[in-house]
């Protein structure tokens, strides 16, 4: 039969198991040797961490190590390849790491402080457009004190720096395998993490096997993982039902989640693990384009968008309306867009436009990616088009492109308005504000806001107690509402659909919503 499991329910089940003295596995050794096949609609855009600030991290987390990481259940960075801390009296400006003894890459080369320095400095040297160098703005220089000691000196206080080092973008690479000044382009990937990438076919599959030289926190509960990349979620779900794959992650549409919850015969033997997500969807307005350059136009759009209708019609309870770039569950979350615009109101939107002398319907071009966030993206934009055109104030033309083409387009500033998704780098409000502002940001559309970039964010980063930075991020969200350069739409829930004989789904997602493949295992008995 179909089973729906929340993370809380899974934890309770685990507790009962422990208390009763029962074991889930009759032969844990054979279970640990079994391969797991995982399907996703989110394939890597690159195999080089120096170019990745996206879902390529899924693969990196499982093949590379970082200095610190987010093991399951953690809310702050924990040791991975090193033990790290801010030096006392440094005002969050000197971060020192002691590399664990005996670490090697899977080819046998030594992982030491020089390799760490090399890995981070090549990110800055390559400076890939839209890549992770944008996360290293506070880094001044890196010093190697001895083979096991590396020191990061920051140019300003930055209490979020350990969180940044915990992202897969900061994966430690072998200097002998990765060029210092350009991306690796031979289609190979090599690290020191839990798995070795044995084979990779772009947009098809990745074959991971256990790394025999791995020394880290991950307790691998399977013998290896095959990741299959699907263009459409429909084919992925069909493969799950036919037992061609064991589990799915990223890309399920709302309709598919609802369907998987039903008692249809084809759902026999399946389970669905649900967790609260911090992933968000939003619209980006490129003010260099005349169609959205005027603030009243953007305000009118904000006044018209009906988030409740959008999530109910398209996402059927698998998402909820979002009125701030900082989602629920993250410190500092507000509902500033609702506070300012209230319920959707065509009359107010018309008044905003007329006061600005705009009397003819505004023609807009909305762009979205067809293969990055799941098959619901196209219906979502069709619904946005319907809402705006129903008011008689806008005429919207929709354009969809595959992710790589779409990404190249928005990074060149080609789109006046486009949809993006954001999966958090780390669970802190800074990560939902800082990446989107400044002349150089992840969106390719400069958003200059000196109050946010020069005052609020620097002030918040001096505070190591991240629960005490609410005021700064509340004000930043208010400024974003005034500017309407970004329009938050909805916040998602995360689902892992799997066969009933697959355990560990409730532990597989880290706080960055990255899949830790080593947590998945095949049950040999109940």
């Amino acid at each position: 039969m179909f089973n729906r499991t929340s993370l809380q329910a899974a934890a309770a089940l685990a507790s009962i198991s422990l208390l009763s003295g029962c074991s889930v596995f009759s032969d844990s050794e054979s279970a640990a040797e079994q391969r797991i096949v995982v399907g996703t609609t989110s394939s890597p855009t690159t195999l080089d961490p120096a170019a990745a600030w996206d879902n390529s991290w899924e693969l990196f987390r499982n093949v590379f190590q970082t200095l610190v990481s987010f093991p399951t259940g953690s809310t702050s960075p924990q040791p991975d390849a090193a033990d790290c801390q801010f030096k006392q009296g440094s005002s969050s400006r000197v971060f020192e790491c002691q590399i664990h003894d005996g670490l090697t890459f899977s080819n046998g080369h030594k992982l030491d402080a020089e390799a760490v320095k090399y890995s981070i400095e090549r990110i800055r040297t390559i400076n890939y457009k839209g890549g992770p160098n944008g996360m290293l703005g506070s880094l001044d220089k890196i010093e190697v004190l001895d083979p096991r000691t590396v020191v990061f000196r920051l140019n300003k206080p930055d209490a979020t720096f350990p969180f940044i080092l915990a992202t897969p973008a900061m994966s430690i690479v072998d200097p002998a395998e990765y060029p210092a000044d350009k991306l690796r382009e031979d289609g190979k990937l090599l690290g020191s993490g839990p798995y070795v990438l044995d084979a990779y076919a772009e947009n098809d599959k990745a074959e991971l096997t256990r790394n025999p030289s791995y020394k880290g926190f991950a307790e691998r509960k399977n013998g290896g993982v095959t990741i299959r990349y699907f263009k459409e979620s429909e084919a992925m779900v069909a493969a799950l039902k036919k037992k061609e794959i064991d589990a799915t992650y990223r890309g399920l549409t709302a309709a598919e989640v609802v369907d998987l919850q039903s008692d249809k015969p084809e759902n026999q033997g399946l389970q669905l693990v649900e967790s609260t997500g911090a992933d968000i969807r939003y619209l980006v307005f490129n003010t260099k384009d005349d169609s959205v350059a005027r603030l009243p136009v953007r305000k009118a759009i904000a006044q018209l968008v009906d988030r409740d209708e959008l999530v109910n019609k398209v996402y059927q309870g698998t998402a909820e309306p979002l009125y701030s770039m900082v989602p629920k569950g993250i410190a500092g979350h507000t509902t500033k867009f609702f506070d300012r615009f209230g319920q959707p109101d065509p009359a107010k939107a018309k008044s905003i436009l007329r006061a600005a002398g705009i009397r003819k319907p505004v023609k807009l071009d909305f762009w979205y990616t067809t293969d990055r966030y799941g098959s619901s993206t196209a219906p979502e934009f069709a619904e946005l088009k319907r809402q705006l055109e129903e008011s008689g104030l806008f005429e919207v033309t929709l354009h969809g492109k595959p992710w790589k083409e779409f990404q190249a387009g928005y990074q060149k500033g080609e789109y006046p308005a486009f949809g993006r998704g954001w999966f958090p780098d780390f669970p802190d409000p800074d990560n939902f504000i800082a990446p989107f502002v400044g002349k150089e940001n992840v969106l390719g559309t400069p958003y200059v806001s000196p109050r946010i970039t020069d005052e609020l964010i620097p002030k918040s980063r001096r505070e190591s107690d991240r629960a005490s930075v609410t005021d700064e991020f509340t004000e930043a969200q208010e400024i974003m509402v005034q500017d309407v350069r970004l329009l938050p739409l909805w916040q998602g829930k995360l689902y892992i659909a799997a066969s009933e004989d697959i355990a560990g789904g409730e532990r597989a997602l880290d706080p960055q919503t990255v899949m830790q493949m080593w947590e998945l295992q095949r049950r040999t008995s109940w």
Side-chain angles (χ1 to χ4, degrees):
M1 62 176 290
F2 168 83
N3 283 312
R4 178 190 180 106
T5 308
S6 68
L7 294 192
Q8 294 84 354
L13 180 59
S15 297
I16 293 169
S17 242
L18 290 171
L19 289 171
S20 63
C22 296
S23 173
V24 175
F25 306 101
S26 62
D27 185 351
S28 60
E29 184 177 358
S30 63
E33 292 173 352
Q34 298 258 4
R35 289 189 67 84
I36 306 293
V37 183
V38 178
T40 178
T41 62
S42 185
S43 60
T45 60
T46 176
L47 293 186
D48 194 321
W53 199 346
D54 59 21
N55 291 336
S56 302
W57 289 7
E58 212 80 58
L59 187 58
F60 299 163
R61 174 57 76 212
N62 291 278
V63 178
F64 292 103
Q65 282 182 288
T66 46
L67 288 169
V68 289
S69 187
F70 284 100
T72 300
S74 63
T75 56
S76 60
Q78 304 296 316
D80 188 353
D83 291 298
C84 305
Q85 63 181 355
F86 278 110
K87 296 289 285 184
Q88 287 188 352
S90 70
S91 300
S92 299
R93 293 186 63 167
V94 180
F95 195 66
E96 182 174 297
C97 294
Q98 291 289 322
I99 312 299
H100 293 161
D101 190 31
L103 295 185
T104 64
F105 295 101
S106 59
N107 60 2
H109 294 176
K110 191 172 183 179
L111 191 165
D112 56 13
E114 287 289 354
V116 172
K117 180 180 179 181
Y118 183 93
S119 300
I120 306 302
E121 286 191 340
R122 74 184 291 268
I123 293 173
R124 299 206 292 176
T125 299
I126 294 170
N127 193 23
Y128 188 82
K129 187 174 178 60
N133 188 38
M135 304 171 72
L136 295 171
S138 64
L139 179 60
D140 180 20
K141 60 182 178 180
I142 308 172
E143 299 174 351
V144 172
L145 302 187
D146 58 54
R148 289 183 55 196
T149 308
V150 61
V151 175
F152 299 89
R153 296 192 181 275
L154 310 184
N155 52 37
K156 54 192 172 185
D158 186 359
T160 71
F161 190 71
F163 291 82
I164 293 167
L165 288 181
T167 68
M170 305 299 148
S171 295
I172 306 169
V173 302
D174 181 358
E177 296 276 349
Y178 289 81
D181 57 358
K182 62 181 180 180
L183 299 179
R184 182 174 183 173
E185 297 178 345
D186 62 359
K188 297 181 180 179
L189 184 158
L190 182 143
S192 61
Y195 297 99
V196 173
L197 180 65
D198 276 343
Y200 178 77
E202 187 175 7
N203 297 319
D204 182 16
K205 65 180 178 179
E207 295 283 359
L208 305 179
T209 58
R210 283 189 177 209
N211 176 5
S213 62
Y214 171 67
K215 294 182 179 180
F217 69 86
E219 181 185 347
R220 293 163 296 185
K221 299 174 181 175
N222 54 63
V225 178
T226 298
I227 306 174
R228 286 187 54 188
Y229 301 111
F230 291 85
K231 196 168 186 179
E232 300 289 342
S233 59
E234 182 179 0
M236 180 175 69
V237 173
L240 176 68
K241 292 183 177 182
K242 289 187 286 187
K243 300 189 182 303
E244 295 172 353
I245 62 176
D246 298 305
T248 72
Y249 178 56
R250 293 207 195 280
L252 291 176
T253 67
E256 287 161 349
V257 171
V258 172
D259 177 75
L260 285 167
Q261 293 170 339
S262 71
D263 292 328
K264 294 180 179 179
E266 60 265 33
N267 291 338
Q268 293 287 319
L270 298 181
Q271 60 174 318
L272 194 68
V273 178
E274 175 188 312
S275 64
T276 300
D279 61 309
I280 65 173
R281 297 293 186 276
Y282 55 96
L283 289 177
V284 183
F285 298 112
N286 181 0
T287 54
K288 290 185 177 180
D289 190 279
D290 290 342
S291 65
V292 293
R294 293 169 291 182
L295 179 58
V297 170
R298 305 195 301 273
K299 284 186 173 181
I301 295 171
Q303 187 63 71
L304 286 171
V305 170
D306 189 332
R307 295 169 178 81
D308 285 313
E309 184 76 5
L310 178 67
V311 299
N312 289 334
K313 182 178 290 187
V314 179
Y315 291 99
Q316 303 177 52
T318 63
E320 55 184 318
L322 182 64
Y323 296 95
S324 163
M325 290 298 289
V326 179
K328 286 183 179 179
I330 301 295
H333 165 74
T334 70
T335 56
K336 290 293 184 180
F337 270 92
F338 184 83
D339 299 341
R340 175 62 61 91
F341 294 100
Q343 295 291 343
D345 192 325
K348 287 183 179 179
K350 182 176 182 180
S351 178
I352 291 170
L353 294 175
R354 296 296 183 263
I358 302 172
R359 301 193 174 278
K360 294 182 179 180
V362 178
K363 295 184 178 181
L364 299 173
D365 287 279
F366 276 11
W367 292 77
Y368 63 92
T369 176
T370 57
D371 60 353
R372 193 63 179 171
Y373 306 123
S375 303
S376 296
T377 307
E380 173 182 340
F381 273 79
E383 173 60 16
L384 289 171
K385 170 182 167 73
R386 184 196 68 77
Q387 291 181 10
L388 295 182
E389 290 189 337
E390 192 172 66
S391 69
L393 302 174
F394 293 94
E395 295 177 3
V396 181
T397 302
L398 300 179
H399 308 269
K401 279 190 174 183
W403 173 253
K404 282 196 172 181
E405 294 177 47
F406 175 79
Q407 185 181 42
Y410 77 68
Q411 288 177 348
K412 293 176 183 177
E414 295 177 353
Y415 309 148
F418 57 96
R420 280 296 311 272
W422 184 250
F423 298 93
D425 302 327
F426 49 86
D428 188 277
D430 185 283
N431 193 232
F432 293 90
I433 302 292
F436 310 114
V437 293
K439 292 181 181 179
E440 297 288 337
N441 61 45
V442 299
L443 302 171
T445 55
Y447 176 12
V448 179
S449 177
R451 174 62 177 160
I452 296 178
T453 58
D454 301 344
E455 299 179 50
L456 296 175
I457 290 176
K459 182 181 178 183
S460 73
R461 288 179 175 175
R462 288 193 289 270
E463 182 54 65
S464 58
D465 179 6
R466 304 307 295 161
S468 65
V469 296
T470 300
D471 290 347
E472 288 81 5
F473 288 107
T474 296
E475 183 178 345
Q477 290 168 84
E478 177 60 36
I479 293 171
M480 287 182 154
V481 172
Q482 295 170 7
D483 296 340
V484 198
R485 290 291 306 277
L486 304 168
L487 186 64
L489 297 173
W490 55 268
Q491 171 179 354
K493 300 176 183 178
L494 297 177
Y495 295 91
I496 296 175
S499 298
E500 271 191 337
D501 67 341
I502 298 299
E506 69 281 358
R507 293 182 51 83
L509 302 183
D510 72 6
Q512 299 161 308
T513 70
V514 170
M515 175 78 92
Q516 301 176 137
M517 300 294 181
W518 58 83
E519 293 286 358
L520 300 177
Q521 61 186 326
R522 195 177 305 281
R523 297 184 176 100
T524 55
S525 70
W526 281 93

